[in-house]
Amino acid sequence: MPDNANNSPAATHAKCSANAQHIGNAAHAADTQHTDHSPIATTAEMNPAKSSALGGEQASVEKQKVFIIGLPRTGTTSVSVALLEQGLKVAHMAFTKQAFMLADAISDVPCFSDYRQLDGLFPQAKFVYLDRDMVKWVPSMQMLLGKMLPHLEAKSGRFHPIMKRSFRHTFAIDKVTDPADEAHLIACYQRHQNEVLAYFHGREDFISLNISHAGSLSRLLQFLGLTTDCPTLGQVTDRAFSDSQIKSVPNQISQEGTSQEKAAVQSLPVNTSEHGLDFPKLNAGTHVAAWHEYKHPNKVNSNSAGPQSRKFFDYTL
């Protein structure tokens, strides 16, 4: 989809809006604008107040939420973009209560580590687990950790405390000598998968997908009760960068509007086959910032501020 998404014909928006209304008809509160979508923490966020147990905290919303709880590098960006094209408001990573309130769908951090707590907070939510072939996931995750680890360090790391907590919880990065070790990552993946499948066993509000499988997008849309006739589904875009153009994750994610975004784009149509719709392939290879380069009016800021500023939910893992 081109960057001038706001200029789509009214008919296109009408069809996509119908899908968004299926997820919930409550109006979103106005979002306090904050230009930094990055996981880099501010000084105040580096020293957050200690959370208590879940206790009486309950999200006072009836609006259905969709949580994408697959691990990083399993296709969270592709799913997020596909849901944007269906008219949903989407947050790829969410570090505040307000981001969760504004978004119809949330993926990545902290959903993959906090699904139990989110299930309690949002009893009407649906959960989407993403599976990926281990032979492809391990090297992709090793590449990602190679970029991220210096910024996940507990005290000096620049990433948001919620991101650090999610990675510590799921990948034990503070408990092993080499968090990117192949055997360690396989163990982390399998433990997460087993825990997710056991927790959601027999539930109708859960689906497991491998986005590389034919018709996987159609399966997701059917699970969510969404239509597939949105014209923009076939025109998603991905920025084409060479390895030498890919910078460190903090700079890459936080510098929206720089000359990077003026790079040429290549159209990646969503495949339609006899099996149904397939997901666009985003963040392929060493590319890690497709979400931040993708222009769409329904993107929700991960750091959205609300009535309680940028406070997160008051629970512990």
Side-chain angles (χ1 to χ4, degrees):
M1 182 177 180
D3 288 346
N4 60 348
N6 285 309
N7 298 326
S8 300
T12 295
H13 284 295
K15 290 185 179 181
C16 295
S17 296
N19 280 338
Q21 288 299 318
H22 181 88
I23 295 295
N25 55 19
H28 283 285
D31 184 12
T32 300
Q33 292 301 314
H34 178 53
T35 56
D36 183 8
H37 291 252
S38 80
I40 300 175
T42 64
T43 302
E45 291 164 341
M46 291 286 285
N47 300 285
K50 186 176 181 180
S51 293
S52 62
L54 182 59
E57 177 149 35
Q58 185 78 19
S60 58
V61 292
E62 296 180 358
K63 187 173 186 177
Q64 182 188 106
K65 299 288 181 181
V66 181
F67 296 118
I68 313 303
I69 61 176
L71 293 177
R73 309 306 292 181
T74 59
T76 59
T77 302
S78 294
V79 174
S80 297
V81 167
L83 293 180
L84 280 179
E85 295 299 336
Q86 285 290 308
L88 275 63
K89 294 185 180 295
V90 183
H92 186 271
M93 299 189 294
F95 302 134
T96 67
K97 285 184 178 182
Q98 184 72 350
F100 276 87
M101 293 300 105
L102 292 174
D104 301 311
I106 304 95
S107 64
D108 210 285
V109 173
C111 300
F112 64 78
S113 61
D114 296 17
Y115 56 87
R116 295 179 181 88
Q117 289 74 19
L118 295 173
D119 188 27
L121 287 170
F122 299 92
Q124 303 302 317
K126 290 191 174 185
F127 293 82
V128 180
Y129 173 74
L130 302 180
D131 191 13
R132 189 180 183 187
D133 296 341
M134 197 72 70
V135 69
K136 295 180 180 178
W137 179 78
V138 169
S140 184
M141 193 65 201
Q142 288 174 324
M143 176 277 300
L144 182 65
L145 284 176
K147 297 174 180 290
M148 293 182 67
L149 281 175
H151 311 288
L152 290 169
E153 201 280 327
K155 293 184 178 180
S156 63
R158 300 169 60 197
F159 281 158
H160 196 285
I162 299 299
M163 176 172 279
K164 294 180 184 180
R165 175 179 60 69
S166 283
F167 272 77
R168 286 198 304 270
H169 181 271
T170 304
F171 297 104
I173 60 174
D174 56 338
K175 293 181 172 61
V176 295
T177 303
D178 181 11
D181 174 71
E182 179 179 357
H184 172 70
L185 287 177
I186 291 174
C188 291
Y189 184 100
Q190 292 176 337
R191 179 175 62 253
H192 179 263
Q193 182 181 66
N194 291 338
E195 290 175 351
V196 167
L197 296 181
Y199 181 83
F200 289 102
H201 179 70
R203 287 177 48 167
E204 296 183 356
D205 56 358
F206 170 83
I207 190 173
S208 177
L209 293 173
N210 185 320
I211 71 164
S212 67
H213 291 174
S216 53
L217 177 53
S218 291
R219 286 190 60 210
L220 175 61
L221 299 183
Q222 182 179 15
F223 169 70
L224 298 178
L226 303 179
T227 65
T228 60
D229 60 352
C230 196
T232 53
L233 260 178
Q235 291 298 320
V236 298
T237 59
D238 186 21
R239 304 291 178 178
F241 293 122
S242 67
D243 289 350
S244 62
Q245 290 176 296
I246 296 174
K247 300 181 180 180
S248 64
V249 169
N251 290 334
Q252 191 177 36
I253 292 178
S254 64
Q255 292 179 352
E256 288 198 16
T258 65
S259 59
Q260 267 193 347
E261 297 209 325
K262 296 180 176 62
V265 299
Q266 69 181 77
S267 178
L268 291 180
V270 178
N271 296 323
T272 305
S273 67
E274 59 183 296
H275 304 289
L277 293 169
D278 300 333
F279 284 97
K281 300 301 188 292
L282 304 176
N283 273 351
T286 58
H287 197 181
V288 298
W291 173 257
H292 304 278
E293 296 150 6
Y294 192 80
K295 299 297 186 182
H296 200 287
N298 285 350
K299 288 175 65 173
V300 173
N301 195 310
S302 301
N303 294 296
S304 296
Q308 295 178 300
S309 186
R310 294 194 175 92
K311 181 179 173 61
F312 191 67
F313 295 110
D314 191 18
Y315 62 71
T316 56
L317 298 184

